[in-house]
Amino acid sequence: MVLSASLVVKVILLILLSASFISWIIIVAKYLYLKKAESQSMDFLEIFWSSKTLEDVEEKAKSLPYSPPARAFLSGYKEVKRLKKHFSQKNPEEGYFVRGIDNVKRAMEKEMSRQKLILEGYLTFLATVGNTAPFIGLLGTVLGIINSFREIGIMGNPSLSVVAPGISEALITTAIGLFTAIPAVAGYNYLLEKVKAILNEMDYFTNDFLNIVERHLL
């Protein structure tokens, strides 16, 4: 049926199958990445709350490249070290403490934004496929039916044996469109929830770290 379909229908089928293939690659790759990010984030939080010094945390955080909280910590702690170095002077500049805290916060927020882009990367493709694939499939079906009726008009034979094959060929694109869209939507929703959970953990940690810096370190 696919081989006997019109060129336009074949092109639409090729687009849908390619989108489905790419979607599955993204779903699997993203799942593995988020699983590693989630695992390393839990390890980092355990290290952070159990370590005696931030220097120890810094060394261990460098070995957790997939952990968003660890990346945010390294960015913030870099500014903390600069702030501590300045306050070790005899006459620190007035108001530098407030500006220093703001610098720490901005550094961590910048890293948080970068991590969000990384975690949410390619999810937009899944959402786009999930929203558009059924309509693309429906377009193929409509074009296939139009072509079938055109051939019926040329042949002048409206019997079921003539109409049915063309319509069944046209309906393939709708089926493939749904086959493409359903996993994409399910994968998008599942992965988005995991991303939100990781981002929330990073946000909670950032607030806790800033409070610690402000109250105890400086």
Side-chain angles (χ1 to χ4, degrees), residues 69 71-77 79-80 102-114 202 205-207 209-210 213:
R71 298 295 98 189
F73 165 79
L74 290 173
S75 296
Y77 187 59
E79 294 297 325
V80 169
D102 289 340
N103 289 339
V104 175
K105 184 177 181 180
R106 281 194 296 270
M108 297 188 76
E109 288 178 346
K110 182 178 180 180
E111 183 61 28
M112 288 170 64
S113 298
R114 194 177 77 87
M202 182 171 59
F205 167 77
T206 299
N207 291 331
F209 180 72
L210 289 173
V213 171

Side-chain angles (χ1 to χ4, degrees), residues 57-104:
V57 179
E58 182 184 25
E59 289 302 318
K60 294 175 182 177
K62 291 178 180 178
S63 64
L64 301 172
Y66 293 95
S67 170
R71 298 295 98 189
F73 165 79
L74 290 173
S75 296
Y77 187 59
K78 184 178 180 181
E79 294 297 325
V80 169
K81 288 192 292 185
R82 292 178 182 174
L83 197 56
K84 290 178 67 176
K85 182 179 179 181
H86 183 86
F87 269 83
S88 66
Q89 300 174 2
K90 292 183 179 180
N91 297 310
E93 180 184 348
E94 184 179 356
Y96 190 83
F97 173 79
V98 175
R99 295 198 301 273
I101 292 295
D102 289 340
N103 289 339
V104 175

Side-chain angles (χ1 to χ4, degrees), residues 143-162:
L143 294 176
I145 291 176
I146 290 174
N147 186 59
S148 297
F149 278 106
R150 183 179 61 82
E151 292 182 358
I152 291 172
I154 294 174
M155 296 175 61
N157 186 358
S159 65
L160 183 62
S161 60
V162 175

Side-chain angles (χ1 to χ4, degrees), residues 114-135:
R114 194 177 77 87
Q115 290 298 319
K116 182 179 180 182
L117 289 175
I118 294 174
L119 293 174
E120 294 180 347
Y122 301 106
L123 291 184
T124 303
F125 180 86
L126 294 180
T128 302
V129 170
N131 289 328
T132 60
F135 296 104

